[in-house]
Amino acid sequence: MTASTRAPSATVPNVSPATRTALAWAHGARFLTTASQLDQLPAGDLPEFAFVGRSNAGKSTAINALAQRRQLAFASKTPGRTQHINLFALGPKDSPDAYWADLPGYGYATVERTAKLRWQQVMADYLKVRRNLGGVVLLVDSRLGFTLLDRQLLEFVAPRVVTGEVKLLAVLTKADKLSKKEQAAALAVAQESLADLATEAADVGVLLFSAPKQIGLGDLAEAVWGWAHPDALQP
């Protein structure tokens, strides 16, 4: 299992070439389509990397920070109301090489129960069976750690993570709200929470993140770019 606390920035001139490449790729993200059911998602073989997390965990903020677009991922004024999977295309406009899948936030108490159960079932099915799914970015508020709902979501995708079929990156958001000591503790707790998934075949990582302070922004971009371009990472 890997962990990172670096904080490279697209605006800092001394970022590594790998970070610069990954950020440039992420900045090309654009909206493709929205779907309320799995059969409405595009066919084909392009890999999809899902962003998931509790409402108010900072999922939309992270996507927008990666893309350097203020409203690429829509953050509803009423958290929990977004009930669709939104897909964004990456890579050349005429030949994309990957999709980001923005899944509905979960756990917001005021959402009507029937609607909540319906879209949570769609999310569960997506994580369990979507053939194109190559990686999951799980956004977790660093001040709260893994909640029961986060752990339940992990159960859906765990069988695919432990075999290496689906990669997993836990992103501990709002890290700028923590002291250095608290950041280290949050990382340690997160790694312990994911220990059962960290088999020899699995690709499981953890990093600290803050969009306003650009903590972990380059690391997140590199991770997802690497998922989409595994051949480029070969020595």
Side-chain angles (χ1 to χ4, degrees):
M1 185 185 300
T2 59
S4 175
T5 57
R6 290 188 294 127
S9 164
T11 61
V12 178
N14 62 348
V15 297
S16 70
T19 298
R20 197 175 299 278
T21 296
L23 287 169
W25 176 77
H27 292 173
R30 64 268 182 197
F31 176 78
L32 178 69
T33 190
T34 187
S36 59
Q37 300 292 338
L38 297 193
D39 59 10
Q40 297 172 352
L41 293 169
D45 297 324
L46 286 186
E48 293 171 6
F49 308 119
F51 289 73
V52 299
R54 283 177 57 91
S55 298
N56 286 340
K59 177 169 56 69
S60 296
T61 300
I63 293 173
N64 291 336
L66 278 173
Q68 289 293 287
R69 300 268 299 278
R70 289 186 178 181
Q71 294 184 326
L72 179 67
F74 178 70
S76 173
K77 292 182 179 179
T78 305
R81 288 296 174 86
T82 303
Q83 301 180 21
H84 297 80
I85 298 173
N86 293 314
L87 280 192
F88 307 101
L90 283 295
K93 290 186 177 180
D94 58 348
S95 183
D97 53 25
Y99 297 135
W100 289 347
D102 180 10
L103 272 61
Y106 52 88
Y108 203 74
T110 61
V111 178
E112 195 271 325
R113 177 176 172 80
T114 301
K116 183 191 299 185
L117 292 175
R118 179 184 62 78
W119 89 67
Q120 286 181 350
Q121 185 61 54
V122 171
M123 288 173 59
D125 292 342
Y126 178 91
L127 295 170
K128 288 179 179 179
V129 304
R130 178 66 173 167
R131 182 174 59 85
N132 301 59
L133 182 63
V136 172
V137 178
L138 174 60
L139 288 298
V140 176
D141 189 323
S142 62
R143 300 167 300 178
L144 302 177
F146 285 79
T147 66
L148 177 60
L149 286 173
D150 294 319
R151 297 177 191 279
Q152 289 175 340
L153 182 139
L154 282 174
E155 290 178 2
F156 297 141
V157 76
R160 306 178 74 183
V161 172
V162 297
T163 63
E165 179 187 355
V166 173
K167 298 172 176 61
L168 174 67
L169 179 63
V171 175
L172 307 183
T173 63
K174 307 179 184 182
D176 58 307
K177 306 295 185 182
L178 303 180
S179 67
K180 293 295 184 182
K181 182 177 180 180
E182 290 170 334
Q183 289 179 356
L187 278 173
V189 171
Q191 289 179 307
E192 182 178 353
S193 298
L194 297 173
D196 289 344
L197 301 180
T199 64
E200 288 188 9
D203 184 339
V204 179
V206 181
L207 63 82
L208 294 167
F209 184 84
S210 166
K213 301 296 184 181
Q214 296 196 341
I215 298 171
L217 179 60
D219 291 329
L220 177 54
E222 280 193 56
V224 183
W225 182 88
W227 290 354
H229 306 90
D231 293 343
L233 302 178
Q234 298 300 321

